[in-house]
Amino acid sequence: MPDSKHHHTTGIQIEAVEVTYGVGSTDSVRALAPVDLNIEAGAFVSLVGPSGCGKSTLLKVLADLMPPTAGKVVIDGAQPSVLRQAGRIGLVFQQANLMPWLTIEKNVCLLRDLVRQRKENAGGSQWINVAELIEIVGLKGFENKLPHQLSGGMQQRAALARALALDPSVLLMDEPFAALDEITRDRMAFELMRIWQQYQKTVIFVTHSLAEAVFLSDRVVLMSARPGRIHKIYDIDLPRPRNEETRLSDAFLALVAEINRELYKVMHEQVGT
């Protein structure tokens, strides 16, 4: 069961969000058609779809890295900018982006220390113990190493710990395991599931791997080709906790195949237009 000490979760409402790059110019690109999606607090939701369908764009809107052209996002009853400024949005990207001159422990603490004073001034915050966090992500004994002394998978563990050290309300992950080899990627999926069950954050996870999405998620959102819109939502009813046997089960393989068939249709429609 999740650790009740760290149960700061939130729901997300995405209402008619559209994004057009280069608005007003002759070469403007409509990246997202109106997107409506409600995400329950503590849920793990994956976004999948063809390349260029707006998955990462939607994640940037949720992270307050770019404004929507139309529509709005509400997280825990507030605009994303409010949560970002309070350090309540955790981000993990494809590259770990660790500071090469800082030890792993200092990298994990970096963002937390930058927002600590702001959060405490706003009425206090219960911080996740960094030593506990480093142990949970499997980096105990590597605290004083520099990033270049760690493998790619271990660097991504550090990036995940850095995001969790903020004790965020929502964790946004943009293909965090895409650069890893297949064996390491599978191992990281198991680790992420274990850590999510520990902290029970609301997670939005972008991936090109349908198997990864099905294995990790409560719901998988399949998006259409650009301009991206929600094509279909799949409820993943596989029992938790999931393990190696889950990936071999008929139910798991049937879900992956079903989504793959629908994705093929989406991509075929894109080619036909």
Side-chain angles (χ1 to χ4, degrees):
M1 291 296 293
D3 186 344
S4 60
K5 291 186 298 181
H6 309 302
H7 197 63
H8 300 158
T9 57
T10 184
I12 301 172
Q13 291 81 46
I14 300 167
E15 300 176 8
V17 164
E18 298 182 51
V19 173
T20 300
Y21 292 104
V23 174
S25 65
T26 54
D27 57 348
S28 63
V29 175
R30 195 177 183 210
L32 283 178
V35 171
D36 293 278
L37 183 64
N38 285 332
I39 297 168
E40 301 81 3
F44 197 119
V45 174
S46 287
L47 306 179
V48 300
S51 293
C53 72
K55 301 183 296 293
S56 295
T57 296
L58 183 56
L59 216 65
K60 288 174 184 174
V61 171
L62 293 173
D64 191 44
L65 296 178
M66 66 180 298
T69 308
K72 67 176 182 176
V73 172
V74 178
I75 304 176
D76 198 20
Q79 294 182 345
S81 58
V82 175
L83 277 80
R84 179 182 58 78
Q85 290 165 14
R88 291 175 58 204
I89 296 177
L91 290 166
V92 183
F93 298 104
Q94 186 171 330
Q95 302 299 327
N97 295 322
L98 302 174
M99 300 297 105
W101 58 89
L102 294 179
T103 65
I104 294 306
E105 182 177 28
K106 288 181 178 175
N107 265 290
V108 170
C109 292
L110 182 62
L111 296 179
R112 187 198 68 168
D113 291 344
L114 288 173
V115 301
R116 181 198 291 268
Q117 186 173 356
R118 216 181 309 162
K119 287 180 88 171
E120 289 177 348
N121 288 346
S125 178
Q126 185 178 21
W127 292 96
I128 292 178
N129 181 280
V130 167
E132 168 194 317
L133 185 56
I134 285 174
E135 182 171 2
I136 285 170
V137 300
L139 290 176
K140 186 174 175 61
F142 295 89
E143 296 91 337
N144 296 315
K145 299 289 187 184
L146 293 172
H148 77 269
Q149 296 174 298
L150 270 60
S151 67
M154 294 181 80
Q155 288 183 31
Q156 281 300 81
R157 289 171 188 262
L160 177 57
R162 178 181 59 194
L164 286 170
L166 293 166
D167 198 11
S169 297
V170 60
L171 187 61
L172 306 176
M173 309 186 76
D174 194 355
E175 298 196 64
F177 309 144
L180 305 177
D181 66 84
E182 191 171 351
I183 293 173
T184 305
R185 182 172 184 151
D186 285 348
R187 189 181 306 130
M188 286 298 297
F190 283 107
E191 290 299 313
L192 176 58
M193 177 167 294
R194 183 178 57 79
I195 292 163
W196 172 75
Q197 287 168 336
Q198 174 84 13
Y199 292 110
Q200 205 71 28
K201 301 298 182 185
T202 305
V203 178
I204 314 298
F205 187 88
V206 169
T207 179
H208 277 100
S209 168
L210 302 183
E212 190 172 72
V214 170
F215 180 71
L216 289 168
S217 305
D218 297 311
R219 285 194 292 162
V220 173
V221 177
L222 174 60
M223 296 182 67
S224 67
R226 189 172 65 233
R229 55 172 58 85
I230 294 174
H231 178 75
K232 196 168 183 179
I233 298 176
Y234 295 85
D235 291 315
I236 308 301
D237 294 327
L238 302 171
R240 294 187 186 274
R242 297 171 190 166
N243 53 32
E244 291 88 346
E245 289 302 312
T246 303
R247 286 178 172 270
L248 301 174
S249 70
D250 290 342
F252 174 84
L253 295 171
L255 271 167
V256 174
E258 181 184 351
I259 301 172
N260 197 38
R261 278 192 294 269
E262 200 65 28
L263 175 60
Y264 179 80
K265 283 188 205 171
V266 167
M267 295 176 73
H268 185 69
E269 288 167 5
Q270 178 185 16
V271 171
T273 57

